[in-house]
Every structure is written in structure tokens, then in C-alpha cells.
Amino acid sequence: MDSYQEKISLLQEMIAFALIDGELHDREYDFLEIVSQELEIEKETFLKLFQTSNKTVVIKDEFNRICQFYRLALLMHCDGVLHEREQIKINEIGINMGLNPFAMKRVLHLMKTSPERMVPAEVLLSVFSEQHN
């Protein structure tokens, strides 16, 4: 992650995504808080992000775009309920990031069929790498 503003933008995008179903579940909030700590965003700044509008910063490298897509997918699954709006929005976000739609679909399917709703990092990266060939 290059800059503080990119980290803020990632969190804003995740917060907006978490609210797409009209409700912020406790598990979604907890997940967002963990991500903010990992990104070294202060608690006060994190809380303010729930009140600010989303100014998206374009993620330059593909690895970080894949990581962000996966964070959003984890967020989508953490409340245990898959909303149609979440599924539509995550595909829209992934396409806007320039990710391969077939790879995104495959990752989401792998997550849906996984008991813990997670995909190992090497599998995640290989799914996106396969699409380059």
C-alpha cells in the first residue's frame, strides 16, 4: 500500500460495501476494525469514515486490487447472509478495478463452497494468474 490516502480510500470503499444491504452487522464492524488496525488507521479516523463520502483512489498494482477484492468478499460473507445487492456490487467494484470477471466469479464460488468461507492465498493468486495465460 503506497499512501495513507489509499488506505483511507480502501476502508471507505469497504464501509460503503458493508452498508449496501442497509445494515452494519456487528461482525462486519469487527472485521472493518481489524482491517483498519492492520492498515494502521487511528480509531478516531476510522470512526469518522462512517460519516464521510467515498473518494475512491485507484489502486495501481494488481496484487493490491486482488487483495482489496478478497477483503470485500470476506466482508460480504462475515455476517453469514449473502445479499443480492452485495453480489452485484462486488462484481461492479471488481470490474471497475480491472479484475477478470471469470476469476472473480471463481473466487466467489470457492468461498461460497468453503466451510469457513475463505480461500488460501496461493489459490486466490493462482486463480487470477490463470486468467493471464
Side-chain angles (χ1 to χ4, degrees), residues 31-47:
F31 182 78
L32 290 166
E33 188 172 33
I34 290 168
V35 171
S36 75
Q37 291 168 359
E38 289 295 316
L39 294 174
E40 299 176 349
I41 304 297
E42 307 81 28
K43 178 82 171 191
E44 183 180 329
T45 302
F46 169 67
L47 293 173

Side-chain angles (χ1 to χ4, degrees), residues 95-130:
I95 288 170
N96 287 338
M97 282 194 272
L99 296 176
N100 184 293
F102 298 108
M104 293 185 313
K105 184 176 181 177
R106 185 156 173 231
V107 166
L108 292 173
H109 175 72
L110 289 170
M111 290 180 78
K112 193 174 185 177
T113 58
S114 168
E116 64 279 344
R117 303 291 187 247
M118 296 180 78
V119 175
E122 59 277 355
V123 173
L124 176 68
L125 295 175
S126 72
V127 167
F128 280 97
S129 295
E130 288 171 4

Side-chain angles (χ1 to χ4, degrees), residues 18-62:
L19 296 170
I20 199 80
D21 63 358
E23 186 176 348
L24 182 65
H25 299 274
D26 290 342
R27 294 182 75 187
E28 290 173 325
Y29 177 83
D30 293 343
F31 182 78
L32 290 166
E33 188 172 33
I34 290 168
V35 171
S36 75
Q37 291 168 359
E38 289 295 316
L39 294 174
E40 299 176 349
I41 304 297
E42 307 81 28
K43 178 82 171 191
E44 183 180 329
T45 302
F46 169 67
L47 293 173
K48 286 181 183 177
L49 293 178
F50 286 90
Q51 301 164 355
T52 60
S53 63
N54 190 6
K55 299 175 190 174
T56 305
V57 173
V58 176
I59 304 170
K60 292 179 177 79
D61 71 85
E62 185 178 36

Side-chain angles (χ1 to χ4, degrees), residues 82-100:
L82 287 175
H83 295 275
E84 185 179 348
R85 282 197 236 165
E86 290 173 328
Q87 293 174 342
I88 292 168
K89 187 65 175 178
I90 197 166
N91 284 309
E92 178 185 309
I93 291 169
I95 288 170
N96 287 338
M97 282 194 272
L99 296 176
N100 184 293

Side-chain angles (χ1 to χ4, degrees), residues 5 8 10 17 25 35-36 69 99 103:
Q5 190 54 44
I8 294 292
L10 292 176
F17 185 72
H25 299 274
V35 171
S36 75
F69 175 80
L99 296 176

